[in-house]
Amino acid sequence: VQTCALPIWAMLDREGAEGPADVAIVGDEDVVAAQVRALADAGVTEFVASCFGSREERDRTRSVLRSLL
């Protein structure tokens, strides 16, 4: 188990984000998959997802993310 050394607000500040909306990936399965792939193409090697929405939406999000492993 790996823990984060910085609190979320410090990470957002470090990246120049004003809030979570600046770093959120939101959309249907195709949009989410494309945005995560774009991060990988840009060289991102670690990605942490926090799923939200209804149970069905969270399940769909996890399914998309698992398909990208």
Side-chain angles (χ1 to χ4, degrees), residues 14-61:
R14 184 177 73 181
E15 297 301 321
E18 292 187 22
D22 291 340
V23 296
I25 296 176
V26 180
D28 65 17
E29 288 87 346
D30 293 335
V31 170
V32 169
Q35 290 185 9
V36 172
R37 283 189 196 103
L39 290 172
D41 292 345
V44 170
T45 58
E46 295 184 32
F47 177 81
V48 177
S50 180
C51 303
F52 57 93
S54 68
R55 182 182 190 110
E56 178 187 352
E57 290 167 327
R58 293 189 313 268
D59 289 345
R60 288 171 51 201
T61 300

